[in-house]
Amino acid sequence: MAREMTKNYYFRKFQCGLSKKDTAKLCFKSVRTVTRWDSGQPIPPECRRLMKLYKGHEIVSLSDNWEGWKFNHGELVMEGGIRITPQQILTGYALIQLGANKEREHIKQILKIARILKRY
């Protein structure tokens, strides 16, 4: 007998692109719990939201300032497809903090480059 494909299974597997193991890890649940969701038990709203955020569906819902940005497999993706890793964000922030009082010209250059990248 063929198993029926539930909405939850379709959502997890095809819309979010997550395996059972990855979903369990992301939501701090067991693979067995994810299997139950795939069988039709409701996915808790917080887990559904995490899955959407992982796929990049809902970042704009956090704030209108994120229009055109998304998360994709742990990276922040700018408009135009430029990927930014957490390490790059921390490095940029650290550079700004190090020169906050002395290095205004460097900050201007960093912002100029950031604006150019934003166009892409």
Side-chain angles (χ1 to χ4, degrees), residues 25-91:
K25 184 176 178 182
L26 180 69
C27 296
F28 298 98
K29 303 290 183 185
S30 68
V31 172
R32 186 176 192 176
T33 298
V34 176
T35 301
R36 284 190 221 126
W37 296 344
D38 284 354
S39 298
Q41 286 188 0
I43 300 173
E46 63 275 9
C47 293
R48 186 174 281 276
R49 177 112 187 200
L50 280 171
M51 293 162 73
K52 286 179 180 180
L53 283 170
Y54 176 83
K55 183 58 177 172
H57 288 203
E58 281 204 1
I59 191 168
V60 75
S61 70
L62 300 174
S63 164
D64 290 338
N65 295 330
W66 291 103
E67 184 73 39
W69 294 71
K70 66 180 183 175
F71 280 107
N72 189 359
H73 300 290
E75 293 180 332
L76 186 60
V77 181
M78 295 172 47
E79 224 171 5
I82 297 173
R83 296 176 170 291
I84 303 171
T85 65
Q87 186 60 40
Q88 290 171 315
I89 293 169
L90 292 173
T91 301

Side-chain angles (χ1 to χ4, degrees), residues 90-103 107 110:
L90 292 173
T91 301
Y93 180 76
L95 287 171
I96 290 170
Q97 290 303 309
L98 286 173
N101 293 324
K102 303 176 201 167
E103 307 274 340
I107 293 170
I110 290 170

